[in-house]
Amino acid sequence: MRVLFVVWAWPSHFFPMVPTAWACWTAGHEVLVAGQPALRELLPATGLPAAYVGTDFDLAGEFRRRLALAKDARGRLSGMDPHDAERLAGPADPKTMVLDVYGALARAMTGDTVELAKEWGAEVVVWDPITFAGAIAARAAGARSVRHLWGLDSAGHLGLYDDWTPGLHALLAEHGVPAEAVREDLCLDICPPRLQLPLSRPAAPARYVPYNGPDHGGRALAPPLRPRVCVTWGNTVDQLSGNREFPALEVLRTLAGEDVEVVVAASDEHVAELGALPGNVTAAGWFPLRALLESCTAIVHEGGAGTLLTAALAGVPQLLIPALHEQILAGEQLAASGAGRQLAAGDATEAAIATQFGELLGLHEAARGLRQHILEQPTLADTVSQWV
């Protein structure tokens, strides 16, 4: 069977699909991964066959631009008729703005993706939840449609598939796909039930398998002499705003007073912005998280799905300091599981961080329980065999 994976060029959305593509390939199916040109460095490192579709689209930059324009325009247009203000400043409803941006992303990818799916003869199309080009291509090519979650089903939770913007309706019409047909035939869920949000549609569960990007090139950390704590703010926050949305300095200053050694896993550029680091802190750059967490006692991070699930599989207690909506939801789910704590970014003073960090030491049993819960889920090989 020919299985086409479709994803936009964002590592934290692409990486969760890699083990699933491997599972399909090792089961004897033909696999092809379609992504934007910006994946030319990351995609070949997976060993998977690749095709590059559409044009690159700066989604993070577009979000920043629209938010800044809306904030500025609404300040200047506060006395104007609301309909005129929305026409000039953009929609006030966050969901509509999100769909507008995702629609622009779909516009950049859909034509090439539909053509590829038809010409290659895709029988199954597996798509990232915001890569609508994959959903459209599945229907246009008459293939089975599989929505592949990257973590919590935040897109379904926000109702992104319930209402379409005029731009998305126009794109669907160009390819002869009615809006009601875009929903998937199957949802593949790699998030363990204890952490998942309520799902609006049935899903096939699968055990989370971490893929954190290319290997670290032989780099290794010396065994810790004291409890080791990982600090990271993940790829999404790093790309959107560096460390500005994550209180990295406050975290590191707090941990400087603890009897621990700290490893920061973040880009060299954004670590350099922090200035001189405390004596118990090592900057590791982008180090594969699965390998790093093998030697860690705890992790402090922003709540991104890949970081959350990799730490959960490692059985490591987590302190989340989230800034984005999805990350806040992740923190709530993790806290409810008992395997971690959440602290609002606006409340992340050094005293508050110290209090929350102190509580992590009592969560190791719950963290190990969450790890066991993940290991009890069906393997990707078993799950894939049910739909290909």
Side-chain angles (χ1 to χ4, degrees):
M1 186 168 287
R2 293 192 163 189
V3 186
L4 177 66
F5 287 77
V6 182
V7 65
W8 69 292
W10 197 258
S12 56
H13 287 234
F14 168 52
F15 288 171
M17 302 176 83
V18 171
T20 308
W22 284 339
C24 291
W25 202 5
T26 56
H29 301 288
E30 293 185 62
V31 170
L32 184 62
V33 181
Q36 291 167 291
L39 285 176
R40 285 188 186 276
E41 286 190 21
L42 290 175
L43 218 166
T46 67
L48 294 165
Y52 301 100
V53 294
T55 58
D56 289 324
F57 177 75
D58 184 6
L59 185 139
E62 184 65 13
F63 269 125
R64 290 195 300 268
R65 186 187 70 83
R66 289 183 182 231
L67 288 169
L69 284 175
K71 181 179 179 180
D72 177 66
R74 289 198 174 86
R76 292 184 290 105
L77 305 176
S78 57
M80 184 179 287
D81 177 89
H83 295 291
D84 291 335
E86 178 164 322
R87 177 175 55 82
L88 294 172
D93 173 30
K95 177 180 170 182
T96 301
M97 186 193 74
V98 166
L99 279 171
D100 275 347
V101 176
Y102 291 167
L105 172 63
R107 173 67 64 180
M109 293 182 66
T110 298
D112 284 358
T113 306
V114 168
E115 183 178 353
L116 175 66
K118 290 180 176 179
E119 290 186 354
W120 188 61
E123 297 167 90
V124 178
V125 177
V126 184
W127 48 281
D128 164 78
I130 68 168
T131 308
F132 299 155
I136 296 170
R139 294 303 180 220
R144 192 172 192 192
S145 178
V146 177
R147 186 169 67 104
H148 191 302
L149 300 184
W150 67 75
L152 274 68
D153 186 14
S154 55
H157 182 74
L158 290 172
L160 292 189
Y161 311 107
D162 299 332
D163 302 294
W164 295 93
T165 60
L168 280 168
H169 275 293
L171 185 60
L172 290 167
E174 289 174 22
H175 296 282
V177 178
E180 61 272 16
V182 173
R183 289 306 301 263
E184 71 274 12
D185 298 313
L186 176 76
C187 176
L188 180 64
D189 186 8
I190 59 171
C191 183
R194 287 186 191 174
L195 297 181
Q196 186 58 274
L197 298 165
L199 297 172
S200 59
R201 296 167 69 93
R207 183 186 308 168
Y208 175 69
V209 176
Y211 174 77
N212 306 132
D215 190 80
H216 48 80
R219 287 187 300 130
L221 296 172
L225 300 178
R226 293 180 289 173
R228 176 173 286 165
V229 179
C230 173
V231 175
T232 182
W233 43 96
N235 176 73
T236 297
V237 169
D238 195 271
Q239 293 292 323
L240 286 173
S241 61
N243 57 16
R244 289 183 291 278
E245 298 294 336
F246 180 80
L249 276 175
E250 289 82 356
V251 170
L252 296 181
R253 287 171 183 158
T254 301
L255 296 179
E258 301 285 342
D259 186 25
V260 297
E261 60 177 68
V262 180
V263 176
V264 177
S267 68
D268 294 336
E269 174 189 355
H270 291 134
V271 172
E273 293 175 358
L274 300 175
L277 300 176
N280 66 338
V281 176
T282 298
W286 281 125
F287 199 99
L289 201 55
R290 181 176 188 175
L292 174 55
L293 289 177
E294 291 176 356
S295 63
C296 289
T297 301
I299 181 172
V300 183
H301 64 100
E302 86 302 345
T307 307
L308 172 79
L309 295 180
T310 302
L313 181 61
V316 175
Q318 308 177 51
L319 172 57
L320 273 61
I321 308 179
L324 305 178
H325 176 69
E326 178 187 341
Q327 297 167 354
I328 293 170
L329 293 175
E332 292 171 353
Q333 296 297 102
L334 178 70
S337 78
R341 292 285 184 266
Q342 174 173 234
L343 179 62
D347 298 332
T349 62
E350 291 180 34
I353 295 169
T355 298
Q356 294 292 334
F357 181 75
E359 293 183 4
L360 289 187
L361 302 179
L363 302 182
H364 284 281
E365 183 176 348
R368 287 191 292 268
L370 181 57
R371 167 181 163 80
Q372 183 59 38
H373 173 63
I374 293 174
L375 294 175
E376 291 169 355
Q377 303 308 307
T379 66
L380 277 171
D382 288 339
T383 300
V384 162
S385 69
Q386 298 174 18
W387 52 268
V388 291

